[in-house]
Every structure is written in C-alpha cells, then in structure tokens.
Amino acid sequence: MRASPNDRPRRRASPSLARRIARPLVSAVLLLVAVLALALSAWIAWTQYARALRETQSVEPLAGGQGRWVDVGDARLYVQEWGHAADPVLLLTHGTGAWSGTWFGLPDALAAAGWRVVAVDLPPFGLSTTPDEGGAVDYSRAAQARRLLALAGTLGSDLTLVGHSFGAGPALEAALGAGAGSSGRALRRLVLVDPALGLGPGGEPPQCEARAGPGVLLGSRALRTTLVGATATWPGLTGPLLRRFVHRRDAVTDALLPAYRLPFARAAFSQRLGDWAAAFSQSACEPADSLRPERLTRWAAQGVPVALVWGEEDRITPLAQGRALQRWIPGATLTVLPGVGHIPHIESPEAFATALIGVLGPAR
C-alpha cells in the first residue's frame, strides 16, 4: 500500500539556511543599537560640555541693572516692578520655565490700568537665589507661599495675587495664609490663570502615589542634572518645548526665546532646576492646604474674591479642572479664552490683558 502525500514527512527549512538569514538581521539590529547608543552618548557629552561652558555667571550681571532682590529669610527673591509706588500692588507669579522677564508686554498694560505691578521669580527659576545653592532647598508649595507672604509684607499695601500655571499653586497657598501669616495684610483678590495644581484630567483631586521616590532619573541628582542639561536648559530645545505648552504655536516666535534662555547662563542652573523637578514630581504628596478641596471650600466662605482665567484649548491643564475649582471655591468666576492654550500672555496678549484687567476690576 502506497503512503498518501499527507503521510510523507514534511520538508523543513535547513537549519543552516535559517542561520544564514538570521545572522545579518541580528547584526543589523546590533549595529543600529550601537549607533544609537553612540549618538546618545555623544549628545549627552556635548550638552554637558556646553552646559559647563554656559552656566558660569552670577545673577547680578544677568539682571543688567534691572530689578532688585528682597531677602525673605531662606531666599533672596528677584523682583521687577512697573507703575507708580503709590498704586495698589499686583503680584505676578510665573509658570514652569518662566520668570519675571517672560511676562513681556503684560506688566506695562497692567501698570497703565493703575496697578503697581511686581513680578517675582520663584526659586529656582529666574534670578532668585537661595543661601545654600548646592544643598537641599525647600521647593514645596508651602515654602514658596511663605516666601510670597514675606515679600508681600515689604510691599506696603493690600495685595492682589495673580498666579499662572505652576506659580498658581504657591499663590493659592499664600492666599489661604494671608492675614494670618507673616505679611499681616489682607488679600484683595486672587486670580489663577491656567493653574497647574496637580489635578486629574477631569478635575479629580490630586492623588499621592505611594512610592519611595520620583524614580531613578529624578531620584539621582547626577542623572537628573544630566537629563535637564540635555533637554530643558539646552537652548536649541527652548522653542520646541515651549510650543508643546501652547495651542497657537506660531505665537512662539524667535523674538521671545532669548528671554526664556537668559537664566540658562546661571552657575549650576541645571542642577537647581533638576532639584526642583524632583520635588515638583512629588507635589501631590505634600501636606498643603491648597491640595484639599474641603479646605478651599471653607476658605472661600471668608469672601476673598477669586477669578479663574482659562485657555479653552489648554491641553496641559484642561478646562475641566477649572470647572472643578469652581465647585470647590464657591463664588469663583471663570473666564474662558477661546483659541488659547496654556500660556495666554504670549498666545493672545491683548485679549488676555483685556480679560485680566476686566476680572481685576478698577485698581482704585
């Protein structure tokens, strides 16, 4: 009886043929990995070399004779001022990667509306300094708020606070302590602009993740300094990184970039920025009153006017977060800017200045 074709042994590919096919593929993959590793190593080496050459200056020459420093105990805060000394004080706190020199035309518009505008640099940004530049600095929201209140105590009048993005957290925390804190002054009004408070995408309260640290990259000072020096403080990436925060990307022009880059020349700036990033990554775990919705609701009952200004197209802190804050701060108003993302003062400066002046009301 003859065997059927199906009963015959199937011919298998020769092991030597499979090896001949796999060998060049493996070699190509290994070569690609080696090239990428070499390119990455070269990039890191170059950026660290350039950082060492760039980060050499002290803050005084970088200020160029503008502004002044205010001693608040654990820091010397750099501030710039516009308007008349007798006008009501409006204190501006900036967002991540910004400083008092990146408000551009906004302070002039506010000063023309009758305000004494004071823009402050929150450590480690801009030109503010801390006593121990190489050691542990408290970058918590509560510590930044204490610095703001100490600064407010030197300004000589009641205070209106305007906080943008990251700067809104310390501004809100300071507002909760105003009147009972070191400033001894009543808060006139609080304005939060696209605040980055650590809320969830839908406005969920901040959640502390139980983990030992911010991860291996941010947990190691050497690694995070290297990472920051190759990305956040690398001048060639300033434009691309800034455009990730906005809706109108054409608004990030080359003319704006030198202002953002100016602090990059500070000695050990990447190291300090890395230290801040490690602390900020754990900000949801801080025992801060401004992270507790029930505390905000109780504070709102005191009657301090609160205004929220939000870019409708903000993808960093979505508008849903503003709706949540309205629920937690009864009486807060919400002004939505159409066609604007996370940085309204560069995306739509005239419309934002008009909206901000409107929610502030008359200076006197």
Side-chain angles (χ1 to χ4, degrees), residues 9-360:
R10 294 184 179 179
R11 180 174 294 179
R12 297 180 179 178
S14 168
S16 59
L17 177 61
R19 282 195 294 269
R20 287 199 301 271
I21 295 174
R23 217 172 264 145
L25 290 177
V26 171
S27 299
V29 170
L30 291 176
L31 178 61
L32 179 60
V33 170
V35 169
L36 291 176
L38 183 62
L40 180 60
S41 298
W43 170 251
I44 290 175
W46 167 247
T47 56
Q48 299 318 296
Y49 173 73
R51 176 172 64 86
L53 294 179
R54 181 177 65 251
E55 296 184 2
T56 59
Q57 297 192 42
S58 61
V59 294
E60 287 78 8
L62 289 174
Q66 302 295 315
R68 62 189 176 97
W69 283 266
V70 178
D71 190 343
V72 295
D74 67 343
R76 292 174 65 240
L77 299 182
Y78 179 71
V79 298
Q80 297 192 64
E81 298 167 277
W82 295 259
H84 301 290
D87 288 340
V89 175
L90 190 155
L91 180 58
L92 296 173
T93 63
H94 58 81
T96 301
W99 62 293
S100 59
T102 56
W103 289 105
F104 303 106
L106 180 64
D108 288 321
L110 295 172
W115 296 94
R116 175 191 171 192
V117 182
V118 180
V120 60
D121 294 353
L122 294 173
F125 297 99
L127 305 183
S128 288
T129 66
T130 50
D132 184 4
E133 295 287 13
V137 177
D138 191 350
Y139 292 125
S140 68
R141 186 175 297 186
Q144 301 281 29
R146 288 193 296 270
R147 293 170 186 134
L148 288 178
L149 289 171
L151 172 63
T154 71
L155 296 179
S157 68
D158 60 341
L159 181 68
T160 295
L161 263 174
V162 177
H164 173 239
S165 188
F166 142 75
L172 178 56
E173 190 75 15
L176 294 173
S182 59
S183 72
R185 303 183 188 280
L187 180 66
R188 176 172 175 172
R189 183 179 294 272
L190 173 67
V191 182
L192 303 179
V193 181
D194 295 273
L197 302 178
L199 309 186
E204 303 85 0
Q207 297 294 321
C208 175
E209 298 181 13
R211 52 182 178 174
V216 64
L217 290 179
L218 294 180
S220 165
R221 193 179 209 193
L223 283 176
R224 67 186 180 232
T225 300
T226 299
L227 178 63
V228 168
T231 55
T233 62
W234 178 249
L237 292 179
T238 303
L241 289 174
L242 192 57
R243 290 184 182 97
R244 294 178 66 87
F245 284 79
V246 300
H247 175 66
R248 290 189 51 227
R249 298 192 174 190
D250 61 315
V252 182
T253 63
D254 290 343
L256 300 182
L257 301 183
Y260 282 94
R261 292 171 178 151
L262 185 142
F264 294 2
R266 285 189 60 181
F269 183 67
S270 294
Q271 184 182 81
R272 288 194 294 271
L273 189 58
D275 293 345
W276 169 85
F280 188 65
S281 71
Q282 293 292 285
S283 59
C285 298
E286 296 177 16
D289 284 344
S290 56
L291 295 172
R292 297 161 50 200
E294 69 281 1
R295 176 67 177 90
L296 295 177
T297 302
R298 290 199 305 272
W299 170 76
Q302 299 177 16
V304 176
V306 178
L308 307 173
V309 181
W310 227 284
E312 186 176 29
E313 304 298 333
D314 191 344
R315 296 296 178 263
I316 305 300
T317 54
L319 184 55
Q321 296 183 4
R323 308 288 187 200
L325 282 176
Q326 267 196 307
R327 295 193 297 270
W328 301 338
I329 308 176
T333 63
L334 176 60
T335 301
V336 179
L337 303 175
V340 173
H342 190 65
I343 314 180
H345 59 278
I346 66 173
E347 293 184 65
S348 189
E350 293 183 3
F352 174 58
T354 299
L356 182 56
I357 291 170
V359 301
L360 288 170

